[in-house]
Amino acid sequence: MSTDLWLRSFHPAPDAAVRLVFFPHAGGAASYFFPLSKLLAPRIEVLAVQYPGRQDRRREEPIADVDGLAEELAAVLGPAGGKPVVYFGHSLGATVAFEVSRRLAGRGAAPAALMVSARCAPSEHRSNGIHLLDDDGIVAELRRLSGTDSSLLEDEELLAALMPAIRGDYKAAETYTYTPGPALSCPIVGFLGDDDVRVGAEDLESWRKHTTAEFELRRLPGGHFYLTEDPVRAAKEIGACIESSVPGRGAEL
């Protein structure tokens, strides 16, 4: 399976000591993480997952379900060639990154750390029924979360082209069913925007039960999409987190 289809490298850093893989939110794309990639490179090699049904993959069918997506991504990511890898999933991406981590852990290729952002733990999964709304209802949710460029929301033709992928992502996120299994052995770090209208600190704390290692919660200013409200602050926090979570790598970063 081609990694070029699934992974984007905006600022190549093959000599970096650690690899960081970003997993987007519902309706999101790899390009969402471009600013963070620019800020973290070259000390960290950054890759961003590109889901089907958007941007250069717009002709493909959108996500059908989280488990199927995780299976495909586990086949793509696999071992990192001896380099420690950290996964960072935002919103829907947190669930996807978790499911990929579970699959790779069973193959001896678990990430060195899992960072989960703006999402409750899989065992506490809940649906807000967004994917069942009409297009106007979904647009209203996007406005509420402030995660989509307002100019895009005013472009009816472009929005219509994007809606299948957005609705498909929400459906995958909201119809996800957690299957109990062994906890991960890597550290989990939760990230939360202080003003998130959808997710609270208790939601991130619920991730503790999914690891036998340490859990840490980090709060940053901003809402559900705090990552792009202050990318410099977010990059600093992510970098510091990697330094503390990946054994023996702090001095190299």
Side-chain angles (χ1 to χ4, degrees):
M1 189 172 295
S2 173
T3 56
D4 292 340
L5 186 67
W6 288 95
L7 302 174
R8 302 291 175 270
S9 176
F10 300 117
H11 306 92
D15 296 328
V18 178
R19 177 178 298 160
L20 173 63
V21 181
F22 282 115
F23 296 73
H25 53 281
S31 58
Y32 178 78
F33 299 106
F34 183 93
L36 291 174
S37 172
K38 185 176 181 180
L39 290 164
L40 291 167
R43 63 194 179 105
I44 296 172
E45 180 186 14
V46 177
L47 300 176
V49 171
Q50 184 77 308
Y51 300 147
R54 68 219 65 212
Q55 293 184 343
D56 56 339
R57 301 189 67 184
R58 62 187 177 279
R59 298 185 186 280
E60 300 176 48
E61 288 294 318
I63 296 171
D65 62 86
V66 169
D67 286 324
L69 178 63
E71 286 288 350
E72 294 201 63
L73 284 169
V76 170
L77 290 167
K83 179 182 296 189
V85 60
V86 175
Y87 292 161
F88 186 110
H90 181 64
S91 199
L92 164 64
T95 306
V96 177
F98 169 74
E99 288 294 346
V100 172
S101 298
R102 295 175 90 185
R103 285 159 173 77
L104 291 180
R107 304 169 195 175
L114 172 63
M115 301 184 193
V116 293
S117 170
R119 185 74 165 174
C120 66
S123 56
E124 307 299 319
H125 171 70
R126 59 181 181 267
S127 173
N128 295 308
I130 305 302
H131 75 282
L132 299 174
L133 300 175
D134 60 17
D135 289 357
D136 288 342
I138 292 179
V139 170
E141 174 68 7
L142 296 176
R143 292 186 189 280
R144 182 167 182 257
L145 295 178
S146 302
T148 305
D149 187 339
S150 59
S151 62
L152 184 154
L153 296 178
E154 301 302 329
D155 188 329
E156 294 184 5
E157 184 176 348
L158 180 56
L159 191 58
L162 294 174
M163 190 55 68
I166 296 172
R167 185 181 296 280
D169 288 4
Y170 270 110
K171 182 178 180 181
E174 295 181 329
T175 59
Y176 166 77
T177 300
Y178 169 68
T179 301
L184 296 174
S185 59
C186 66
I188 296 180
V189 182
F191 284 81
L192 174 68
D194 279 336
D195 299 322
D196 195 324
V197 298
R198 278 287 186 203
V199 185
E202 66 281 3
D203 294 313
L204 271 299
E205 289 285 351
S206 65
W207 283 90
R208 287 184 183 274
K209 68 185 72 172
H210 291 288
T211 180
T212 58
E214 295 181 354
F215 172 84
E216 178 186 2
L217 175 61
R218 294 191 176 220
R219 305 180 68 139
L220 286 81
H224 192 70
F225 290 96
Y226 67 91
L227 289 170
T228 48
E229 292 181 43
D230 189 348
V232 174
R233 171 71 180 272
K236 181 178 180 181
E237 290 288 335
I238 291 169
C241 180
I242 290 175
E243 290 178 8
S244 63
S245 299
V246 180
R249 296 290 170 172
E252 298 178 65
L253 298 177

